[in-house]
Amino acid sequence: MSAPTLSDIDDAMEMQSIPVGYRDTPQDEEDDEEDTFSGDDEIDELGMIAASSPQPNQKDPALKRHSYLTYIFVGLAAIALLVEVLRGKDGSLSLNARTKATSDDLSTSSGTTGDNLIIEFTVANLRTNSANCSHVGKMLQCIPQHNNATNKFRIQLHPSWAPIGVKRFQELTEANFWDDARIFRVVPNFVSQFGISSYPDVQKYYDSLGNLKDDKVIGSNKRGTLTFATSGRNTRTTQLFINTADNKFLDKQGFSPIGEVLPAGDGYGSMDVVDEMYSKYGEDPDQGMIKEEGKDYLEEKYPLLSYFVTAVFV
């Protein structure tokens, strides 16, 4: 049920209503704080309503009981309205609370920031020598040489860094978009880039949704962070890269990280897995051809590219 409104209270007390006196981006926080009324404001106005109400005749027991009920009703309504102000319709905290990043949100502690949005990636065709590879259909499956041969790593998403980007990444993950997606651009000590579906129809659908608006740059493009690729302002779609070096110069160019690779844990690795992604093709794979022909093009021309087998929330 929704909380009573001020007009409901006024009707119950048979009096006239008392008037109650966004580009949604972090830089507008000061304006939001000025425009958003607080719970204290609501309590003060409810107090004004109670004070202006006709005072009951204390000698009349019936009126005295009516007064007590009125005060109880006003008190309950004040509490309900305070909760309504502090929470949005979806049950989340108010705008200022959602958009204001804290120092804890920007920390790199494992699995404790944001909303515990952790995704585990399983990778095939990690870089190694040919003696450790075997053919599976047209593809080569290679055993990694690191961290007890694990081919998994985890990424922690940070909604407080980039809420728009995180939402898109969640949607793509829930739709299994990453399955069979190649890490098609690997430049050692710079980036490992992915985000074009191996299935052209899937990619066409997400391209048809249009570009994302930019998030303000809050996190920094240090080694291990996950960031959307762009071709200019407000051009993010489905492509991302993992920084494999400290690329803080990208911060000033508007590249907003949305998450980070977590330290290794039981059964999964960390940046040691990312560093094993196959890099010999460099920047040769044609992104346009990947979109048009998908796996057929990739398996014929670039069979050794590393790719994601699965990506699931944990």
Side-chain angles (χ1 to χ4, degrees), residues 111 116-122 152-157 166 168-174 178 226 258 260-262 268-269 308 310-314:
N116 284 330
L117 299 175
I118 300 174
I119 300 166
E120 183 173 274
F121 289 83
T122 301
K152 299 180 180 181
F153 70 97
R154 293 184 178 184
I155 284 179
Q156 166 82 60
L157 301 179
V166 166
R168 171 57 62 87
F169 199 88
Q170 286 181 262
E171 292 169 351
L172 293 170
T173 303
E174 290 166 355
W178 311 118
L226 174 69
I258 68 167
E260 61 189 332
V261 175
L262 292 175
Y268 61 92
F308 297 128
T310 58
V312 296
F313 286 102
V314 294

PDB file of all heavy atoms in Angstrom, residues 111 116-122 152-157 166 168-174 178 226 258 260-262 268-269 308 310-314:
ATOM      1  N   GLY A 111      34.746  -8.593  -3.852  1.00  0.00           N
ATOM      2  CA  GLY A 111      33.357  -9.011  -3.715  1.00  0.00           C
ATOM      3  C   GLY A 111      32.570  -8.299  -2.640  1.00  0.00           C
ATOM      4  O   GLY A 111      31.568  -8.814  -2.189  1.00  0.00           O
ATOM      5  N   ASN A 116      27.291  -6.588  -4.864  1.00  0.00           N
ATOM      6  CA  ASN A 116      27.813  -7.945  -5.022  1.00  0.00           C
ATOM      7  C   ASN A 116      27.500  -8.503  -6.405  1.00  0.00           C
ATOM      8  O   ASN A 116      27.130  -9.669  -6.558  1.00  0.00           O
ATOM      9  CB  ASN A 116      27.271  -8.872  -3.931  1.00  0.00           C
ATOM     10  CG  ASN A 116      27.947  -8.638  -2.602  1.00  0.00           C
ATOM     11  OD1 ASN A 116      29.106  -8.250  -2.546  1.00  0.00           O
ATOM     12  ND2 ASN A 116      27.234  -8.879  -1.523  1.00  0.00           N
ATOM     13  N   LEU A 117      27.624  -7.664  -7.429  1.00  0.00           N
ATOM     14  CA  LEU A 117      27.415  -8.078  -8.808  1.00  0.00           C
ATOM     15  C   LEU A 117      28.717  -8.677  -9.329  1.00  0.00           C
ATOM     16  O   LEU A 117      29.552  -7.991  -9.893  1.00  0.00           O
ATOM     17  CB  LEU A 117      26.977  -6.879  -9.656  1.00  0.00           C
ATOM     18  CG  LEU A 117      25.659  -6.224  -9.229  1.00  0.00           C
ATOM     19  CD1 LEU A 117      25.394  -4.988 -10.056  1.00  0.00           C
ATOM     20  CD2 LEU A 117      24.504  -7.209  -9.363  1.00  0.00           C
ATOM     21  N   ILE A 118      28.869  -9.968  -9.131  1.00  0.00           N
ATOM     22  CA  ILE A 118      30.099 -10.663  -9.509  1.00  0.00           C
ATOM     23  C   ILE A 118      29.787 -11.668 -10.607  1.00  0.00           C
ATOM     24  O   ILE A 118      28.845 -12.452 -10.501  1.00  0.00           O
ATOM     25  CB  ILE A 118      30.719 -11.375  -8.293  1.00  0.00           C
ATOM     26  CG1 ILE A 118      31.050 -10.354  -7.200  1.00  0.00           C
ATOM     27  CG2 ILE A 118      31.961 -12.151  -8.700  1.00  0.00           C
ATOM     28  CD1 ILE A 118      31.523 -10.979  -5.907  1.00  0.00           C
ATOM     29  N   ILE A 119      30.578 -11.613 -11.672  1.00  0.00           N
ATOM     30  CA  ILE A 119      30.373 -12.492 -12.817  1.00  0.00           C
ATOM     31  C   ILE A 119      31.620 -13.347 -13.018  1.00  0.00           C
ATOM     32  O   ILE A 119      32.735 -12.829 -13.018  1.00  0.00           O
ATOM     33  CB  ILE A 119      30.092 -11.675 -14.082  1.00  0.00           C
ATOM     34  CG1 ILE A 119      28.831 -10.822 -13.877  1.00  0.00           C
ATOM     35  CG2 ILE A 119      29.924 -12.580 -15.303  1.00  0.00           C
ATOM     36  CD1 ILE A 119      28.642  -9.743 -14.911  1.00  0.00           C
ATOM     37  N   GLU A 120      31.415 -14.651 -13.183  1.00  0.00           N
ATOM     38  CA  GLU A 120      32.530 -15.559 -13.438  1.00  0.00           C
ATOM     39  C   GLU A 120      32.579 -15.912 -14.917  1.00  0.00           C
ATOM     40  O   GLU A 120      31.607 -16.407 -15.490  1.00  0.00           O
ATOM     41  CB  GLU A 120      32.390 -16.832 -12.609  1.00  0.00           C
ATOM     42  CG  GLU A 120      33.574 -17.786 -12.783  1.00  0.00           C
ATOM     43  CD  GLU A 120      33.507 -18.955 -11.834  1.00  0.00           C
ATOM     44  OE1 GLU A 120      33.990 -18.825 -10.689  1.00  0.00           O
ATOM     45  OE2 GLU A 120      32.951 -20.014 -12.234  1.00  0.00           O
ATOM     46  N   PHE A 121      33.738 -15.651 -15.535  1.00  0.00           N
ATOM     47  CA  PHE A 121      33.960 -15.951 -16.944  1.00  0.00           C
ATOM     48  C   PHE A 121      34.807 -17.214 -17.065  1.00  0.00           C
ATOM     49  O   PHE A 121      35.806 -17.372 -16.359  1.00  0.00           O
ATOM     50  CB  PHE A 121      34.698 -14.808 -17.633  1.00  0.00           C
ATOM     51  CG  PHE A 121      33.873 -13.559 -17.824  1.00  0.00           C
ATOM     52  CD1 PHE A 121      33.725 -12.645 -16.800  1.00  0.00           C
ATOM     53  CD2 PHE A 121      33.248 -13.316 -19.042  1.00  0.00           C
ATOM     54  CE1 PHE A 121      32.966 -11.497 -16.973  1.00  0.00           C
ATOM     55  CE2 PHE A 121      32.486 -12.176 -19.226  1.00  0.00           C
ATOM     56  CZ  PHE A 121      32.341 -11.271 -18.196  1.00  0.00           C
ATOM     57  N   THR A 122      34.388 -18.101 -17.973  1.00  0.00           N
ATOM     58  CA  THR A 122      35.183 -19.270 -18.329  1.00  0.00           C
ATOM     59  C   THR A 122      35.714 -19.043 -19.740  1.00  0.00           C
ATOM     60  O   THR A 122      34.941 -18.743 -20.657  1.00  0.00           O
ATOM     61  CB  THR A 122      34.345 -20.550 -18.290  1.00  0.00           C
ATOM     62  OG1 THR A 122      33.803 -20.718 -16.969  1.00  0.00           O
ATOM     63  CG2 THR A 122      35.187 -21.770 -18.635  1.00  0.00           C
ATOM     64  N   LYS A 152      39.306 -19.665 -15.484  1.00  0.00           N
ATOM     65  CA  LYS A 152      38.208 -18.827 -15.021  1.00  0.00           C
ATOM     66  C   LYS A 152      38.740 -17.603 -14.294  1.00  0.00           C
ATOM     67  O   LYS A 152      39.789 -17.651 -13.656  1.00  0.00           O
ATOM     68  CB  LYS A 152      37.294 -19.610 -14.082  1.00  0.00           C
ATOM     69  CG  LYS A 152      36.634 -20.825 -14.727  1.00  0.00           C
ATOM     70  CD  LYS A 152      35.755 -21.559 -13.742  1.00  0.00           C
ATOM     71  CE  LYS A 152      35.101 -22.780 -14.411  1.00  0.00           C
ATOM     72  NZ  LYS A 152      34.212 -23.500 -13.466  1.00  0.00           N
ATOM     73  N   PHE A 153      37.990 -16.498 -14.402  1.00  0.00           N
ATOM     74  CA  PHE A 153      38.268 -15.303 -13.603  1.00  0.00           C
ATOM     75  C   PHE A 153      36.947 -14.610 -13.321  1.00  0.00           C
ATOM     76  O   PHE A 153      35.926 -14.911 -13.959  1.00  0.00           O
ATOM     77  CB  PHE A 153      39.246 -14.356 -14.326  1.00  0.00           C
ATOM     78  CG  PHE A 153      38.677 -13.671 -15.547  1.00  0.00           C
ATOM     79  CD1 PHE A 153      38.159 -12.370 -15.467  1.00  0.00           C
ATOM     80  CD2 PHE A 153      38.677 -14.315 -16.776  1.00  0.00           C
ATOM     81  CE1 PHE A 153      37.647 -11.750 -16.589  1.00  0.00           C
ATOM     82  CE2 PHE A 153      38.164 -13.680 -17.902  1.00  0.00           C
ATOM     83  CZ  PHE A 153      37.650 -12.393 -17.805  1.00  0.00           C
ATOM     84  N   ARG A 154      36.968 -13.706 -12.354  1.00  0.00           N
ATOM     85  CA  ARG A 154      35.730 -13.029 -11.942  1.00  0.00           C
ATOM     86  C   ARG A 154      35.863 -11.519 -12.038  1.00  0.00           C
ATOM     87  O   ARG A 154      36.941 -10.966 -11.808  1.00  0.00           O
ATOM     88  CB  ARG A 154      35.354 -13.432 -10.515  1.00  0.00           C
ATOM     89  CG  ARG A 154      34.961 -14.895 -10.395  1.00  0.00           C
ATOM     90  CD  ARG A 154      34.504 -15.267  -8.988  1.00  0.00           C
ATOM     91  NE  ARG A 154      34.080 -16.658  -8.912  1.00  0.00           N
ATOM     92  CZ  ARG A 154      33.561 -17.244  -7.841  1.00  0.00           C
ATOM     93  NH1 ARG A 154      33.399 -16.524  -6.719  1.00  0.00           N
ATOM     94  NH2 ARG A 154      33.194 -18.503  -7.864  1.00  0.00           N
ATOM     95  N   ILE A 155      34.734 -10.898 -12.365  1.00  0.00           N
ATOM     96  CA  ILE A 155      34.664  -9.437 -12.436  1.00  0.00           C
ATOM     97  C   ILE A 155      33.608  -8.933 -11.471  1.00  0.00           C
ATOM     98  O   ILE A 155      32.494  -9.486 -11.391  1.00  0.00           O
ATOM     99  CB  ILE A 155      34.340  -8.975 -13.872  1.00  0.00           C
ATOM    100  CG1 ILE A 155      35.580  -9.107 -14.757  1.00  0.00           C
ATOM    101  CG2 ILE A 155      33.814  -7.538 -13.894  1.00  0.00           C
ATOM    102  CD1 ILE A 155      35.367  -8.700 -16.195  1.00  0.00           C
ATOM    103  N   GLN A 156      33.951  -7.915 -10.712  1.00  0.00           N
ATOM    104  CA  GLN A 156      33.031  -7.226  -9.804  1.00  0.00           C
ATOM    105  C   GLN A 156      32.555  -5.950 -10.498  1.00  0.00           C
ATOM    106  O   GLN A 156      33.356  -5.100 -10.894  1.00  0.00           O
ATOM    107  CB  GLN A 156      33.746  -6.861  -8.512  1.00  0.00           C
ATOM    108  CG  GLN A 156      33.009  -5.848  -7.637  1.00  0.00           C
ATOM    109  CD  GLN A 156      31.940  -6.496  -6.785  1.00  0.00           C
ATOM    110  OE1 GLN A 156      32.251  -7.356  -5.974  1.00  0.00           O
ATOM    111  NE2 GLN A 156      30.695  -6.092  -6.963  1.00  0.00           N
ATOM    112  N   LEU A 157      31.242  -5.813 -10.683  1.00  0.00           N
ATOM    113  CA  LEU A 157      30.678  -4.596 -11.251  1.00  0.00           C
ATOM    114  C   LEU A 157      30.451  -3.562 -10.155  1.00  0.00           C
ATOM    115  O   LEU A 157      30.124  -3.910  -9.015  1.00  0.00           O
ATOM    116  CB  LEU A 157      29.355  -4.890 -11.960  1.00  0.00           C
ATOM    117  CG  LEU A 157      29.406  -5.901 -13.118  1.00  0.00           C
ATOM    118  CD1 LEU A 157      28.003  -6.101 -13.685  1.00  0.00           C
ATOM    119  CD2 LEU A 157      30.365  -5.446 -14.197  1.00  0.00           C
ATOM    120  N   VAL A 166      26.824  -0.323 -16.156  1.00  0.00           N
ATOM    121  CA  VAL A 166      26.614  -1.564 -15.385  1.00  0.00           C
ATOM    122  C   VAL A 166      25.282  -2.194 -15.751  1.00  0.00           C
ATOM    123  O   VAL A 166      25.183  -3.417 -15.919  1.00  0.00           O
ATOM    124  CB  VAL A 166      26.694  -1.279 -13.872  1.00  0.00           C
ATOM    125  CG1 VAL A 166      26.139  -2.456 -13.073  1.00  0.00           C
ATOM    126  CG2 VAL A 166      28.133  -1.006 -13.459  1.00  0.00           C
ATOM    127  N   ARG A 168      23.675  -2.057 -18.597  1.00  0.00           N
ATOM    128  CA  ARG A 168      23.787  -2.727 -19.895  1.00  0.00           C
ATOM    129  C   ARG A 168      24.574  -4.036 -19.762  1.00  0.00           C
ATOM    130  O   ARG A 168      24.205  -5.061 -20.352  1.00  0.00           O
ATOM    131  CB  ARG A 168      24.457  -1.791 -20.905  1.00  0.00           C
ATOM    132  CG  ARG A 168      24.846  -2.444 -22.254  1.00  0.00           C
ATOM    133  CD  ARG A 168      23.671  -3.100 -22.991  1.00  0.00           C
ATOM    134  NE  ARG A 168      22.640  -2.167 -23.353  1.00  0.00           N
ATOM    135  CZ  ARG A 168      22.639  -1.462 -24.496  1.00  0.00           C
ATOM    136  NH1 ARG A 168      23.634  -1.577 -25.353  1.00  0.00           N
ATOM    137  NH2 ARG A 168      21.630  -0.657 -24.762  1.00  0.00           N
ATOM    138  N   PHE A 169      25.654  -4.030 -18.999  1.00  0.00           N
ATOM    139  CA  PHE A 169      26.455  -5.236 -18.848  1.00  0.00           C
ATOM    140  C   PHE A 169      25.651  -6.338 -18.164  1.00  0.00           C
ATOM    141  O   PHE A 169      25.753  -7.520 -18.535  1.00  0.00           O
ATOM    142  CB  PHE A 169      27.728  -4.940 -18.052  1.00  0.00           C
ATOM    143  CG  PHE A 169      28.800  -5.970 -18.223  1.00  0.00           C
ATOM    144  CD1 PHE A 169      29.721  -5.874 -19.247  1.00  0.00           C
ATOM    145  CD2 PHE A 169      28.895  -7.057 -17.360  1.00  0.00           C
ATOM    146  CE1 PHE A 169      30.718  -6.834 -19.418  1.00  0.00           C
ATOM    147  CE2 PHE A 169      29.880  -8.026 -17.515  1.00  0.00           C
ATOM    148  CZ  PHE A 169      30.786  -7.908 -18.551  1.00  0.00           C
ATOM    149  N   GLN A 170      24.844  -5.981 -17.180  1.00  0.00           N
ATOM    150  CA  GLN A 170      23.968  -6.954 -16.531  1.00  0.00           C
ATOM    151  C   GLN A 170      23.008  -7.571 -17.543  1.00  0.00           C
ATOM    152  O   GLN A 170      22.802  -8.783 -17.564  1.00  0.00           O
ATOM    153  CB  GLN A 170      23.171  -6.284 -15.412  1.00  0.00           C
ATOM    154  CG  GLN A 170      23.950  -5.972 -14.164  1.00  0.00           C
ATOM    155  CD  GLN A 170      23.048  -5.345 -13.120  1.00  0.00           C
ATOM    156  OE1 GLN A 170      22.999  -4.128 -12.970  1.00  0.00           O
ATOM    157  NE2 GLN A 170      22.317  -6.169 -12.403  1.00  0.00           N
ATOM    158  N   GLU A 171      22.395  -6.712 -18.360  1.00  0.00           N
ATOM    159  CA  GLU A 171      21.432  -7.198 -19.347  1.00  0.00           C
ATOM    160  C   GLU A 171      22.092  -8.166 -20.322  1.00  0.00           C
ATOM    161  O   GLU A 171      21.521  -9.210 -20.661  1.00  0.00           O
ATOM    162  CB  GLU A 171      20.836  -6.012 -20.112  1.00  0.00           C
ATOM    163  CG  GLU A 171      19.947  -5.117 -19.264  1.00  0.00           C
ATOM    164  CD  GLU A 171      19.590  -3.817 -19.963  1.00  0.00           C
ATOM    165  OE1 GLU A 171      20.176  -3.536 -21.039  1.00  0.00           O
ATOM    166  OE2 GLU A 171      18.722  -3.078 -19.451  1.00  0.00           O
ATOM    167  N   LEU A 172      23.290  -7.827 -20.787  1.00  0.00           N
ATOM    168  CA  LEU A 172      23.999  -8.696 -21.723  1.00  0.00           C
ATOM    169  C   LEU A 172      24.354 -10.031 -21.083  1.00  0.00           C
ATOM    170  O   LEU A 172      24.248 -11.093 -21.717  1.00  0.00           O
ATOM    171  CB  LEU A 172      25.261  -7.990 -22.224  1.00  0.00           C
ATOM    172  CG  LEU A 172      25.038  -6.744 -23.098  1.00  0.00           C
ATOM    173  CD1 LEU A 172      26.353  -6.002 -23.309  1.00  0.00           C
ATOM    174  CD2 LEU A 172      24.414  -7.129 -24.434  1.00  0.00           C
ATOM    175  N   THR A 173      24.762  -9.986 -19.825  1.00  0.00           N
ATOM    176  CA  THR A 173      25.120 -11.222 -19.122  1.00  0.00           C
ATOM    177  C   THR A 173      23.903 -12.110 -18.931  1.00  0.00           C
ATOM    178  O   THR A 173      23.963 -13.330 -19.161  1.00  0.00           O
ATOM    179  CB  THR A 173      25.758 -10.894 -17.760  1.00  0.00           C
ATOM    180  OG1 THR A 173      26.898 -10.049 -17.965  1.00  0.00           O
ATOM    181  CG2 THR A 173      26.196 -12.161 -17.043  1.00  0.00           C
ATOM    182  N   GLU A 174      22.803 -11.523 -18.521  1.00  0.00           N
ATOM    183  CA  GLU A 174      21.579 -12.298 -18.298  1.00  0.00           C
ATOM    184  C   GLU A 174      21.055 -12.912 -19.593  1.00  0.00           C
ATOM    185  O   GLU A 174      20.385 -13.945 -19.576  1.00  0.00           O
ATOM    186  CB  GLU A 174      20.517 -11.405 -17.661  1.00  0.00           C
ATOM    187  CG  GLU A 174      20.850 -11.021 -16.222  1.00  0.00           C
ATOM    188  CD  GLU A 174      19.990  -9.880 -15.694  1.00  0.00           C
ATOM    189  OE1 GLU A 174      19.193  -9.324 -16.494  1.00  0.00           O
ATOM    190  OE2 GLU A 174      20.114  -9.553 -14.503  1.00  0.00           O
ATOM    191  N   TRP A 178      27.621 -13.184 -23.885  1.00  0.00           N
ATOM    192  CA  TRP A 178      29.066 -13.420 -23.923  1.00  0.00           C
ATOM    193  C   TRP A 178      29.440 -14.816 -24.381  1.00  0.00           C
ATOM    194  O   TRP A 178      30.605 -15.061 -24.698  1.00  0.00           O
ATOM    195  CB  TRP A 178      29.679 -13.145 -22.541  1.00  0.00           C
ATOM    196  CG  TRP A 178      29.265 -11.835 -21.957  1.00  0.00           C
ATOM    197  CD1 TRP A 178      28.562 -11.628 -20.799  1.00  0.00           C
ATOM    198  CD2 TRP A 178      29.509 -10.534 -22.505  1.00  0.00           C
ATOM    199  NE1 TRP A 178      28.345 -10.293 -20.598  1.00  0.00           N
ATOM    200  CE2 TRP A 178      28.914  -9.588 -21.632  1.00  0.00           C
ATOM    201  CE3 TRP A 178      30.152 -10.071 -23.659  1.00  0.00           C
ATOM    202  CZ2 TRP A 178      28.956  -8.220 -21.859  1.00  0.00           C
ATOM    203  CZ3 TRP A 178      30.189  -8.695 -23.893  1.00  0.00           C
ATOM    204  CH2 TRP A 178      29.597  -7.795 -23.005  1.00  0.00           C
ATOM    205  N   LEU A 226      37.444  -2.857 -15.998  1.00  0.00           N
ATOM    206  CA  LEU A 226      36.619  -3.164 -17.164  1.00  0.00           C
ATOM    207  C   LEU A 226      35.924  -1.892 -17.624  1.00  0.00           C
ATOM    208  O   LEU A 226      35.272  -1.203 -16.827  1.00  0.00           O
ATOM    209  CB  LEU A 226      35.583  -4.226 -16.795  1.00  0.00           C
ATOM    210  CG  LEU A 226      34.532  -4.571 -17.849  1.00  0.00           C
ATOM    211  CD1 LEU A 226      35.178  -5.298 -19.032  1.00  0.00           C
ATOM    212  CD2 LEU A 226      33.421  -5.440 -17.225  1.00  0.00           C
ATOM    213  N   ILE A 258      33.523   0.321 -15.395  1.00  0.00           N
ATOM    214  CA  ILE A 258      32.282  -0.137 -14.778  1.00  0.00           C
ATOM    215  C   ILE A 258      32.530  -1.250 -13.761  1.00  0.00           C
ATOM    216  O   ILE A 258      31.617  -1.650 -13.045  1.00  0.00           O
ATOM    217  CB  ILE A 258      31.277  -0.634 -15.828  1.00  0.00           C
ATOM    218  CG1 ILE A 258      31.769  -1.931 -16.486  1.00  0.00           C
ATOM    219  CG2 ILE A 258      31.017   0.438 -16.878  1.00  0.00           C
ATOM    220  CD1 ILE A 258      30.706  -2.646 -17.309  1.00  0.00           C
ATOM    221  N   GLU A 260      35.876  -4.315 -12.152  1.00  0.00           N
ATOM    222  CA  GLU A 260      37.277  -4.707 -12.063  1.00  0.00           C
ATOM    223  C   GLU A 260      37.412  -6.209 -11.885  1.00  0.00           C
ATOM    224  O   GLU A 260      36.516  -6.872 -11.342  1.00  0.00           O
ATOM    225  CB  GLU A 260      37.937  -3.996 -10.883  1.00  0.00           C
ATOM    226  CG  GLU A 260      37.302  -4.327  -9.548  1.00  0.00           C
ATOM    227  CD  GLU A 260      37.801  -3.460  -8.416  1.00  0.00           C
ATOM    228  OE1 GLU A 260      38.942  -3.004  -8.508  1.00  0.00           O
ATOM    229  OE2 GLU A 260      37.043  -3.243  -7.454  1.00  0.00           O
ATOM    230  N   VAL A 261      38.525  -6.742 -12.352  1.00  0.00           N
ATOM    231  CA  VAL A 261      38.846  -8.158 -12.171  1.00  0.00           C
ATOM    232  C   VAL A 261      39.229  -8.370 -10.706  1.00  0.00           C
ATOM    233  O   VAL A 261      40.032  -7.614 -10.142  1.00  0.00           O
ATOM    234  CB  VAL A 261      39.993  -8.585 -13.096  1.00  0.00           C
ATOM    235  CG1 VAL A 261      40.396 -10.030 -12.815  1.00  0.00           C
ATOM    236  CG2 VAL A 261      39.596  -8.407 -14.560  1.00  0.00           C
ATOM    237  N   LEU A 262      38.652  -9.394 -10.099  1.00  0.00           N
ATOM    238  CA  LEU A 262      38.905  -9.677  -8.688  1.00  0.00           C
ATOM    239  C   LEU A 262      40.186 -10.484  -8.499  1.00  0.00           C
ATOM    240  O   LEU A 262      40.641 -11.173  -9.419  1.00  0.00           O
ATOM    241  CB  LEU A 262      37.728 -10.448  -8.097  1.00  0.00           C
ATOM    242  CG  LEU A 262      36.412  -9.689  -7.970  1.00  0.00           C
ATOM    243  CD1 LEU A 262      35.313 -10.622  -7.473  1.00  0.00           C
ATOM    244  CD2 LEU A 262      36.559  -8.499  -7.028  1.00  0.00           C
ATOM    245  N   TYR A 268      39.296 -20.202  -9.262  1.00  0.00           N
ATOM    246  CA  TYR A 268      39.347 -19.203 -10.339  1.00  0.00           C
ATOM    247  C   TYR A 268      40.580 -18.326 -10.176  1.00  0.00           C
ATOM    248  O   TYR A 268      41.109 -18.149  -9.079  1.00  0.00           O
ATOM    249  CB  TYR A 268      38.075 -18.351 -10.362  1.00  0.00           C
ATOM    250  CG  TYR A 268      37.817 -17.545  -9.113  1.00  0.00           C
ATOM    251  CD1 TYR A 268      38.279 -16.235  -8.987  1.00  0.00           C
ATOM    252  CD2 TYR A 268      37.103 -18.096  -8.051  1.00  0.00           C
ATOM    253  CE1 TYR A 268      38.043 -15.497  -7.842  1.00  0.00           C
ATOM    254  CE2 TYR A 268      36.854 -17.361  -6.901  1.00  0.00           C
ATOM    255  CZ  TYR A 268      37.327 -16.057  -6.800  1.00  0.00           C
ATOM    256  OH  TYR A 268      37.090 -15.329  -5.657  1.00  0.00           O
ATOM    257  N   GLY A 269      41.037 -17.811 -11.305  1.00  0.00           N
ATOM    258  CA  GLY A 269      42.220 -16.970 -11.309  1.00  0.00           C
ATOM    259  C   GLY A 269      41.871 -15.497 -11.329  1.00  0.00           C
ATOM    260  O   GLY A 269      40.753 -15.105 -11.001  1.00  0.00           O
ATOM    261  N   PHE A 308      34.968 -16.630 -24.676  1.00  0.00           N
ATOM    262  CA  PHE A 308      34.242 -16.969 -23.462  1.00  0.00           C
ATOM    263  C   PHE A 308      33.329 -18.169 -23.724  1.00  0.00           C
ATOM    264  O   PHE A 308      32.546 -18.162 -24.670  1.00  0.00           O
ATOM    265  CB  PHE A 308      33.400 -15.793 -22.974  1.00  0.00           C
ATOM    266  CG  PHE A 308      34.222 -14.585 -22.594  1.00  0.00           C
ATOM    267  CD1 PHE A 308      33.921 -13.335 -23.118  1.00  0.00           C
ATOM    268  CD2 PHE A 308      35.291 -14.694 -21.733  1.00  0.00           C
ATOM    269  CE1 PHE A 308      34.673 -12.222 -22.786  1.00  0.00           C
ATOM    270  CE2 PHE A 308      36.056 -13.584 -21.386  1.00  0.00           C
ATOM    271  CZ  PHE A 308      35.743 -12.349 -21.922  1.00  0.00           C
ATOM    272  N   THR A 310      31.360 -19.412 -21.044  1.00  0.00           N
ATOM    273  CA  THR A 310      30.190 -18.959 -20.293  1.00  0.00           C
ATOM    274  C   THR A 310      30.557 -17.726 -19.482  1.00  0.00           C
ATOM    275  O   THR A 310      31.736 -17.460 -19.227  1.00  0.00           O
ATOM    276  CB  THR A 310      29.677 -20.031 -19.317  1.00  0.00           C
ATOM    277  OG1 THR A 310      30.723 -20.381 -18.409  1.00  0.00           O
ATOM    278  CG2 THR A 310      29.187 -21.265 -20.060  1.00  0.00           C
ATOM    279  N   ALA A 311      29.536 -16.993 -19.075  1.00  0.00           N
ATOM    280  CA  ALA A 311      29.698 -15.869 -18.147  1.00  0.00           C
ATOM    281  C   ALA A 311      28.442 -15.838 -17.286  1.00  0.00           C
ATOM    282  O   ALA A 311      27.337 -15.596 -17.808  1.00  0.00           O
ATOM    283  CB  ALA A 311      29.863 -14.555 -18.900  1.00  0.00           C
ATOM    284  N   VAL A 312      28.575 -16.118 -16.004  1.00  0.00           N
ATOM    285  CA  VAL A 312      27.412 -16.262 -15.128  1.00  0.00           C
ATOM    286  C   VAL A 312      27.610 -15.497 -13.828  1.00  0.00           C
ATOM    287  O   VAL A 312      28.737 -15.347 -13.332  1.00  0.00           O
ATOM    288  CB  VAL A 312      27.131 -17.751 -14.808  1.00  0.00           C
ATOM    289  CG1 VAL A 312      26.749 -18.508 -16.072  1.00  0.00           C
ATOM    290  CG2 VAL A 312      28.348 -18.398 -14.159  1.00  0.00           C
ATOM    291  N   PHE A 313      26.504 -15.022 -13.262  1.00  0.00           N
ATOM    292  CA  PHE A 313      26.547 -14.383 -11.956  1.00  0.00           C
ATOM    293  C   PHE A 313      26.803 -15.424 -10.882  1.00  0.00           C
ATOM    294  O   PHE A 313      26.275 -16.538 -10.943  1.00  0.00           O
ATOM    295  CB  PHE A 313      25.236 -13.648 -11.660  1.00  0.00           C
ATOM    296  CG  PHE A 313      25.054 -12.380 -12.429  1.00  0.00           C
ATOM    297  CD1 PHE A 313      24.225 -12.343 -13.536  1.00  0.00           C
ATOM    298  CD2 PHE A 313      25.720 -11.215 -12.049  1.00  0.00           C
ATOM    299  CE1 PHE A 313      24.058 -11.165 -14.253  1.00  0.00           C
ATOM    300  CE2 PHE A 313      25.544 -10.040 -12.763  1.00  0.00           C
ATOM    301  CZ  PHE A 313      24.724 -10.015 -13.860  1.00  0.00           C
ATOM    302  N   VAL A 314      27.617 -15.082  -9.895  1.00  0.00           N
ATOM    303  CA  VAL A 314      27.901 -16.002  -8.801  1.00  0.00           C
ATOM    304  C   VAL A 314      27.583 -15.342  -7.469  1.00  0.00           C
ATOM    305  O   VAL A 314      27.438 -14.136  -7.386  1.00  0.00           O
ATOM    306  CB  VAL A 314      29.383 -16.442  -8.820  1.00  0.00           C
ATOM    307  CG1 VAL A 314      29.657 -17.279 -10.070  1.00  0.00           C
ATOM    308  CG2 VAL A 314      30.330 -15.256  -8.760  1.00  0.00           C
TER     309      VAL A 314
END
